[in-house]
Amino acid sequence: MFELKNAMRDYHWGSDSQISDLLDLPADISPQAEMWLGAHPGCPSRLADEDIALNDFIAHDPQQVLGATVAQRFGRLPYLFKVLSATQPLSIQTHPTLKQAQERFALENSSGKPLDAADRNYRDDNHKPEMLYALTDFVALSGFRQPAQIIKDLRLLSAGLPEDKLGEIETIIRSLQGQDPLAAAFSHVLTAGEPVAQTVELICSAIESSDQLKANVHFAELVSINKIYPSDPGVLVALLLNLVFLEPGQAISLGAGNVHAYLRGLGIEVMANSDNVLRGGLTSKHIDVPELLDVTISQPSPAPILAPVALGSHDRLYKPDFEEFQLQVLDPQAAGLASELQLHGAGVVLCTAGEFLIKTQEGQRSIKRGQSLFITAAELPATATLQGNTAGQLFAASAQID
């Protein structure tokens, strides 16, 4: 077992100190958007006692550290664990399939474009399915709504607008009534330019001037987004997508091609070990609309809530449809409660409350709030037992295959 030192990312949408408050760590960086725990070469954790990057440590003996199956199947730690804190919307985005990522990463490499280029779409050769577990109330956009639902809302929003201002809304409605309706509407909103920007302002003004429209939480969310990203096409994209409200302990799972955006909240995010993001709005970063449209699955889909498997009264396992990762959540209330950690290959463990004793076949180590451990496959099996008089919370991430 190795204690980890993890880096904080200071993206502008982060909070002042929500992550450091959660983990009882010094607020050395602000804003605090993400803390990365893992071996992604763009921001790897380091072994605290060895002062070596986790990806370099793994590279010395992948089979021993990751386990033979994980090493052979993935050739790297297959997942990336994050603590995420958002007080402003993240970009409208989607992620590629594995095949798309491999082919297009190679294509960008062959063009000579540097890995850290601002206009680079693919920073690695991996896909990026992900899940998010809510630590606080969490709000997100995810997946397209039914065209009929969107049309109904557009009619409501346009009811009080002047006749000569309805052209763009009618264009979007016609797109939603035609062939491949969501792809057509999505493409139009992202590419129409100034007409869409003007329509965003008209719609948001109509909502703000009507108590009835403001009472619709989806409409009210458009106004909130527009105050941060005025006239951005992403505001109108938000009307095309499901608005998702998670309570603490709920989770969502997002596959390739799913258009989404996290809006606000604190959560634990686990994903395939990748940083490939294609953006379409609500951001100052690189936007490539044709590439985004090409990888998007333009079909209606419900909010992708991920239900856990109950392993005990204080022990739950979240298993999305991706073999790269799963997340176990322990929240025992009384000292002495023990759980077997459901680790397949190497695991990353983070304590967010209380203190736990982690035991493996090679030894034991205490972990308290704010600390994290990397457990190699060679040390498994492992257990976690709550210590002291304080309720605990522990997260354990690993692959789903041994």
Side-chain angles (χ1 to χ4, degrees):
M1 287 181 283
F2 300 88
E3 185 176 354
L4 295 176
K5 292 171 61 178
N6 308 298
M8 196 86 73
R9 312 310 295 266
D10 60 350
Y11 308 135
H12 74 277
W13 45 261
S15 64
D16 289 338
S17 63
Q18 203 171 30
I19 296 176
S20 59
D21 291 344
L22 170 72
L23 301 176
D24 194 27
L25 297 174
D28 295 332
I29 293 177
S30 186
Q32 298 178 356
E34 296 176 346
M35 187 173 78
W36 288 24
L37 300 86
H40 191 281
C43 185
S45 299
R46 300 187 70 83
L47 306 188
D49 297 332
E50 308 292 331
D51 194 28
I52 182 175
L54 182 56
N55 54 325
D56 292 334
F57 174 74
I58 292 170
H60 289 161
D61 193 346
Q63 297 233 357
Q64 180 79 0
V65 175
L66 299 176
T69 302
V70 172
Q72 182 176 5
R73 171 67 180 84
F74 302 109
R76 61 187 132 192
L77 189 69
Y79 57 89
L80 177 59
F81 183 125
K82 296 180 181 179
V83 184
L84 180 146
S85 173
T87 58
Q88 295 184 17
L90 280 67
S91 58
I92 299 288
Q93 61 184 258
T94 191
H95 308 298
T97 65
L98 180 59
K99 184 172 185 290
Q100 288 168 337
Q102 290 172 337
E103 292 176 349
R104 298 176 193 192
F105 177 69
L107 188 62
E108 284 194 320
N109 282 349
S110 67
S111 73
K113 185 172 292 185
L115 273 177
D116 59 354
D119 62 343
R120 178 116 187 182
N121 286 322
Y122 296 91
R123 301 187 182 278
D124 53 63
D125 63 352
N126 204 8
H127 62 165
K128 192 176 176 284
E130 61 192 48
M131 65 161 286
L132 183 129
Y133 173 96
L135 290 168
T136 64
D137 290 339
F138 201 98
V139 186
L141 300 164
S142 176
F144 287 108
R145 304 165 70 204
Q146 293 287 344
Q149 294 175 318
I150 304 166
I151 292 171
K152 180 180 177 181
D153 281 350
L154 286 170
R155 295 291 190 205
L156 284 173
L157 291 169
S158 63
L161 298 178
E163 288 289 333
D164 62 346
K165 303 293 186 182
L166 298 180
E168 191 62 23
I169 291 177
E170 291 299 330
T171 298
I172 297 169
I173 288 174
R174 285 195 297 272
S175 296
L176 290 165
Q177 293 172 330
Q179 290 188 336
D180 205 0
L182 292 167
F186 187 45
S187 175
H188 179 79
V189 169
L190 291 178
T191 58
E194 186 59 26
V196 164
Q198 293 175 358
T199 300
V200 167
E201 290 302 323
L202 281 169
I203 285 175
C204 288
S205 294
I207 295 169
E208 288 194 282
S209 62
S210 167
D211 290 339
Q212 184 176 0
L213 294 179
K214 279 191 291 189
N216 181 309
V217 293
H218 207 147
F219 295 169
E221 200 65 53
L222 303 186
V223 174
S224 297
I225 296 171
N226 190 55
K227 288 179 179 178
I228 300 169
Y229 290 100
S231 306
D232 193 288
V235 177
L236 203 48
V237 171
L239 190 65
L240 307 181
L241 305 179
N242 296 298
L243 181 61
V244 184
F245 294 93
L246 300 177
E247 297 177 355
Q250 289 187 304
I252 55 174
S253 173
L254 308 170
N258 175 296
V259 181
H260 62 279
Y262 297 146
L263 300 182
R264 59 187 175 275
L266 178 68
I268 300 293
E269 193 178 19
V270 191
M271 65 201 65
N273 191 3
S274 173
D275 197 27
N276 284 327
V277 181
L278 300 164
R279 301 175 179 88
L282 308 184
T283 183
S284 59
K285 294 183 178 181
H286 174 58
I287 290 176
D288 186 333
V289 171
E291 189 70 17
L292 173 71
L293 294 172
D294 190 54
V295 305
T296 295
I297 298 174
S298 299
Q299 297 294 327
S301 59
I305 303 297
L306 178 63
V309 177
L311 303 179
S313 60
H314 61 281
D315 189 353
R316 303 176 307 286
L317 184 63
Y318 294 81
K319 296 186 67 173
D321 294 329
F322 320 113
E323 61 184 7
E324 284 90 348
F325 60 90
Q326 63 181 29
L327 182 69
Q328 184 179 6
V329 183
L330 308 180
D331 50 12
Q333 303 297 304
L337 288 174
S339 296
E340 182 177 348
L341 295 180
Q342 305 295 310
L343 301 180
H344 302 273
V348 173
V349 177
L350 172 69
C351 179
T352 56
E355 182 176 354
F356 289 82
L357 182 66
I358 310 297
K359 289 185 178 181
T360 72
Q361 64 178 358
E362 292 193 1
Q364 62 184 43
R365 188 163 186 166
S366 290
I367 180 175
K368 62 182 180 180
R369 177 184 170 197
Q371 291 184 308
S372 55
L373 296 177
F374 180 73
I375 303 175
T376 68
E379 300 174 79
L380 300 178
T383 60
T385 306
L386 182 64
Q387 308 292 291
N389 301 315
T390 304
Q393 187 174 56
L394 189 79
F395 295 91
S398 78
Q400 289 194 38
I401 59 174
D402 289 306

